[in-house]
């Protein structure tokens, strides 16, 4: 019988030189791998909040730590909700206005035009169905939770939000600290007779489930729309009642994620006290009058993503764990599993 060698037995190489070369090559490869493992072991994986904070954020943190800033007025725009999955309005290609072609509008802004809505409410109904703040589709971001944390630290004078997504409300920001300048979905009224809708659950169900514009129960002819401010409508009384006092009292104006293109909210950073109020812009691009000579050394800019910058600022203030815990709690509250 012949003997069959097992796989563990070495076969004689007819070329000893080749064997030595292979052996040397294997040793070199092993050494290279060992070295790579050692180098990888030195690598520390960090998130964005662990990167070096900018001078602007360090300055802002120092204002808060030293107590020179205790009444912060915040102006927010669509940029703070982008990471929640809600598109902003004006970014080319991805902005809301650029993606309204499917509604066959005469011009993008017509979706918020009162006269157009009276004739053809369907485009707004379709948009409202997508944006309605139930907490299941879109949830508050870390930036929304940072605003709530400012309120809990008794540092927040007011948030003037240009957003209609209601995420500040879902992030548990106290109602008295929030001005939703362009309205919200929590109430609705007839565009013709102005009668307030008595049953918001019915309004929500008509828009979201049936994809229809509710008809007023009082006048029987006018459409009911959520109390979102359309072009041509005045801003809520709450805006006018609080703003004149707030801009006098504020010692810091924080501008977050906005193009500062829509008046009168865009004017707020110019209305604060130029002799005492500090200003900081956190945005992906430079906007408004930032930096302004009129505010001298009291202007700071962080041209970056809002969520990343807010995490860095929270870390500088020693609030990061508290912020992440709040964000996790709010997210779980609105999760399907939570």
């Amino acid at each position: 019988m012949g003997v069959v060698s097992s796989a563990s037995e070495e076969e004689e190489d007819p070329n000893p030189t080749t064997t030595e070369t292979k052996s040397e090559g294997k040793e070199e490869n092993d050494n290279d791998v060992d070295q790579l493992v050692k180098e990888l072991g030195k690598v520390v994986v960090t998130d964005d909040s662990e990167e070096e904070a900018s001078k602007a954020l360090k300055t802002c943190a120092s204002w808060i730590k030293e107590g020179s800033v205790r009444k912060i007025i915040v102006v927010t725009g669509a940029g703070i909700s982008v990471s929640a999955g809600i598109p902003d309005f004006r970014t080319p290609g991805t902005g809301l206005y650029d993606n309204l072609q499917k509604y066959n509008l005469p011009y993008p802004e017509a979706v918020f035009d009162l006269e157009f809505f009276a004739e053809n409410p369907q485009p707004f109904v379709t948009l409202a169905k997508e944006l309605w703040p139930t907490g299941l589709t879109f949830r508050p971001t870390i930036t929304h939770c940072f605003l709530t944390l400012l309120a809990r630290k008794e540092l927040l004078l007011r948030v003037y939000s240009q957003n209609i997504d209601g995420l500040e409300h879902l992030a548990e920001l106290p109602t008295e600290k929030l001005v939703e300048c362009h309205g919200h979905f929590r109430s609705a009224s007839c565009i013709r007779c102005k009668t307030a809708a008595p049953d918001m659950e019915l309004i929500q169900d008509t828009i979201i489930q049936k994809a229809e514009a509710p008809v007023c129960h009082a006048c029987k002819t006018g459409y009911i729309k959520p109390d979102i401010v359309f072009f041509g409508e005045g801003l809520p009384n709450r805006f006018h009642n609080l703003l004149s006092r707030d801009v006098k009292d504020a010692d810091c104006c924080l501008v977050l994620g906005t193009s500062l293109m829509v008046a009168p909210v865009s004017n707020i950073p110019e209305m604060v006290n130029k002799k005492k109020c500090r200003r900081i812009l956190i945005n992906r691009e430079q906007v408004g009058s930032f930096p302004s000579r009129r505010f001298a050394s009291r202007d700071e800019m962080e041209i970056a993503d809002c969520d990343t910058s807010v995490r860095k600022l929270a870390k500088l203030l020693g609030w990061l764990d508290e912020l992440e815990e709040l964000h996790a709690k709010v997210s779980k509250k609105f999760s399907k599993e939570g």
Side-chain angles (χ1 to χ4, degrees), residues 156-207:
L156 182 66
L157 180 59
R158 208 87 58 198
V159 172
Y160 285 82
S161 173
Q162 299 173 86
N163 299 333
I164 60 173
D165 53 41
L167 294 184
E168 295 94 350
H169 182 75
L170 296 183
E172 301 179 0
L173 182 66
T175 302
E176 67 272 15
K177 294 295 183 180
L178 175 63
V179 177
E180 291 165 296
C181 306
H182 296 158
H184 53 76
F185 286 89
R186 296 188 302 280
S187 61
S189 55
C190 175
I191 64 170
R192 182 170 181 177
C193 69
K194 310 303 179 186
T195 300
D199 186 348
M200 278 307 297
E201 287 188 11
L202 178 61
I203 300 301
Q204 181 176 338
D205 182 69
T206 303
I207 291 176

Side-chain angles (χ1 to χ4, degrees), residues 145 148 152 170-172 322-335 338:
C145 293
T148 301
R152 293 181 180 180
L170 296 183
E172 301 179 0
E322 193 174 353
L323 176 61
E324 296 287 5
E325 183 179 343
L326 173 60
H327 185 229
K329 174 191 169 188
V330 168
S331 297
K332 184 178 179 180
K333 178 180 177 182
F334 295 106
S335 69

Side-chain angles (χ1 to χ4, degrees), residues 108-229:
E109 292 84 354
V111 72
F112 296 117
D113 185 280
L114 205 55
E115 291 185 7
F116 183 83
F117 177 82
E119 295 294 326
N120 182 11
Q122 203 56 43
F124 176 76
V125 168
T126 304
L127 180 64
K129 180 180 178 180
E130 294 179 9
L131 294 181
W132 202 288
T134 62
L136 297 177
T137 305
F138 307 114
R139 297 171 194 163
T141 67
I142 201 80
T143 300
H144 292 102
C145 293
F146 180 75
L147 302 179
T148 301
L149 196 56
L150 282 178
R152 293 181 180 180
K153 300 288 184 182
E154 298 184 348
L155 293 168
L156 182 66
L157 180 59
R158 208 87 58 198
V159 172
Y160 285 82
S161 173
Q162 299 173 86
N163 299 333
I164 60 173
D165 53 41
L167 294 184
E168 295 94 350
H169 182 75
L170 296 183
E172 301 179 0
L173 182 66
T175 302
E176 67 272 15
K177 294 295 183 180
L178 175 63
V179 177
E180 291 165 296
C181 306
H182 296 158
H184 53 76
F185 286 89
R186 296 188 302 280
S187 61
S189 55
C190 175
I191 64 170
R192 182 170 181 177
C193 69
K194 310 303 179 186
T195 300
D199 186 348
M200 278 307 297
E201 287 188 11
L202 178 61
I203 300 301
Q204 181 176 338
D205 182 69
T206 303
I207 291 176
I208 295 180
Q209 302 300 327
K210 299 180 181 178
E212 298 175 357
V215 177
C216 179
H217 72 286
C219 69
K220 309 296 183 184
T221 55
Y223 290 120
I224 290 178
K225 75 169 181 65
D227 289 332
I228 304 299
V229 178

Side-chain angles (χ1 to χ4, degrees), residues 192-331:
R192 182 170 181 177
C193 69
K194 310 303 179 186
T195 300
D199 186 348
M200 278 307 297
E201 287 188 11
L202 178 61
I203 300 301
Q204 181 176 338
D205 182 69
T206 303
I207 291 176
I208 295 180
Q209 302 300 327
K210 299 180 181 178
E212 298 175 357
V215 177
C216 179
H217 72 286
C219 69
K220 309 296 183 184
T221 55
Y223 290 120
I224 290 178
K225 75 169 181 65
D227 289 332
I228 304 299
V229 178
F230 275 28
F231 292 111
E233 291 186 303
L235 269 60
N237 289 333
R238 178 173 170 77
F239 172 85
H240 300 289
N241 293 340
L242 292 173
L243 183 62
S244 58
R245 185 182 68 200
D246 285 350
V247 292
K248 291 177 183 177
D249 293 344
D251 52 27
C252 181
C253 179
L254 173 60
V255 179
L256 289 168
T258 171
S259 62
L260 290 180
M261 290 181 66
V262 181
V265 181
S266 60
N267 298 327
I268 294 177
E270 304 300 320
M271 297 170 66
V272 295
N273 191 315
K274 295 175 178 60
K275 293 183 179 179
K276 72 170 186 178
C277 191
R278 296 166 164 85
R279 305 192 311 171
I280 180 167
L281 170 70
I282 299 179
N283 198 49
R284 287 187 177 275
E285 58 185 1
Q286 186 175 341
V287 296
S289 66
F290 285 88
S292 172
R293 285 189 227 173
R294 287 175 294 174
F295 288 86
S297 61
R298 296 190 304 279
D299 262 10
E300 294 290 344
M301 292 193 306
E302 175 76 354
I303 306 304
D305 171 74
C306 287
D307 287 349
T308 299
S309 300
V310 158
R311 278 191 169 97
K312 290 180 181 179
L313 179 56
K315 185 175 182 181
L316 289 169
L317 292 166
W319 302 351
L320 185 57
D321 289 345
E322 193 174 353
L323 176 61
E324 296 287 5
E325 183 179 343
L326 173 60
H327 185 229
K329 174 191 169 188
V330 168
S331 297

